[in-house]
Amino acid sequence: MTLKSQLRAPDMNLPEQFDLSNKTILVTGAGDGIGRVASLTYAKLGATVILLGRTVSKLEAVYDEIMAAGYPEPAIIPLDLQGATVSHYEQMAATIEEQFGHLDGLLHNASILGNLRPFAQITEKEFNQVMQINLNGALFMTQALLPALAKAPHASVVFTSSGVGSKGRAYWGSYAISKFATEGMMETLADEYSNSTIRFNCINPGATKTAMRAKAFPAEDASKLKTAEDLMPLYCYFMDDSSTDINGQTIKAQ
Ligand code: NAP
């Protein structure tokens, strides 16, 4: 069933209560911030993680960290969503099916903030850039990966929204619009695939200590913010089979 709501995270303690062994999970924006921590956490819980991002050195550092910890060997897909086309996503999907057979999880995490500015000053170039990375990338990547997701016993697609994805805010134009559209895409997919083995949900991480947050709020005391590690129970819950019945939800991680 698909419901529109802004639920809070279910009561959960530690990521360790979840078991992601034998799952293959693709994380976008895996080299930094929340995506980096999600990749490390999924690997720790036994998943084979496909690390996708635009800065190869950052992806390699996450790869090295996973290998040093003795977790399952990850794969790396260097891809800049800014220039990615449908044919890149189709090639990527073919490689994933060839190597792994199917895909159990897809975390759409990569995004840019763009520039916070008055609506009257949004430029076409900047708006298109934010939409290309935050929305179009997730849309066409999901489309290409649907066959691989359908081959999993249960597959979970998780999009990343924001507080400004359900309530607009002055000066957050391009980013806020991209997040509203992300929630709309998630709900559309959740409804369309409600009788399938693929579920679609959204996480709203809330204020989290990362480079993106520092760019948006340069003057705040970051030591008071939640860290990406604090959010991991919800990120793991959505990839775990215990969330198989959850579809069409946007859940706040905080
Ligand atoms: P972040 O620290 O800026 O990390 C963003 C990640 O996305 C980085 O790994 C970055 O790669 C990657 N990325 C950006 N542009 C890309 C492109 N063109 N192609 C491929 N990868 C690209 O941000 P974050 O705070 O972890 O945010 C993660 C998600 O949470 C985002 O969707 C964001 O909108 C959402 N969110 C965050 C907060 C918060 O307070 N932090 C609050 C609400 C929502 P590089 O490192 O190589 O640039």
Side-chain angles (χ1 to χ4, degrees), residues 63-163:
Y63 176 99
D64 290 345
E65 226 176 309
I66 289 173
M67 292 305 284
Y71 306 149
E73 182 177 6
I76 290 181
I77 299 183
L79 187 66
D80 186 339
L81 301 178
Q82 180 63 56
T85 62
V86 168
S87 108
H88 288 112
Y89 297 128
E90 284 171 352
Q91 281 170 32
M92 185 183 102
T95 306
I96 288 171
E97 279 201 54
E98 202 178 288
Q99 283 190 17
F100 302 104
H102 66 261
L103 188 65
D104 301 280
L106 171 56
L107 174 61
H108 287 297
N109 163 82
S111 276
I112 58 166
L113 185 65
N115 291 310
L116 305 185
R117 59 167 87 241
F119 186 86
Q121 292 173 16
I122 295 173
T123 64
E124 184 183 11
K125 185 179 172 198
E126 183 189 301
F127 182 75
N128 288 341
Q129 190 182 14
V130 170
M131 297 305 271
Q132 169 67 14
I133 295 170
N134 296 8
L135 184 69
N136 301 359
L139 190 157
F140 291 110
M141 190 186 301
T142 301
Q143 196 181 59
L145 287 169
L146 283 169
L149 291 160
K151 288 190 178 126
H154 299 284
S156 175
V157 179
V158 178
F159 295 93
T160 309
S161 188
S162 160

Side-chain angles (χ1 to χ4, degrees), residues 2 7 11 29 62 97 144 164 191 224 229 237 251-253:
T2 304
L7 299 177
D11 274 342
V62 179
E97 279 201 54
V164 296
D191 195 37
K224 296 204 170 78
E229 284 80 1
Y237 168 69
I251 301 192
K252 293 179 180 174

Side-chain angles (χ1 to χ4, degrees), residues 28-36 52-56 58-59 79-83 108-113 129 132-134 159-164 172 175 178-179 203-214 217 220 225-226 228 231 235 254:
T28 72
D32 211 339
I34 298 169
R36 174 184 164 274
L52 185 148
R54 65 178 168 184
T55 309
V56 176
K58 291 186 181 181
L59 300 176
L79 187 66
D80 186 339
L81 301 178
Q82 180 63 56
H108 287 297
N109 163 82
S111 276
I112 58 166
L113 185 65
Q129 190 182 14
Q132 169 67 14
I133 295 170
N134 296 8
F159 295 93
T160 309
S161 188
S162 160
V164 296
W172 284 62
Y175 178 82
S178 77
K179 294 300 185 181
I203 292 179
N204 169 5
T208 311
K209 190 178 168 188
T210 65
M212 182 185 285
R213 177 75 192 182
F217 297 92
E220 80 181 344
L225 295 173
K226 295 276 186 198
L231 317 180
Y235 278 78
Q254 299 183 38

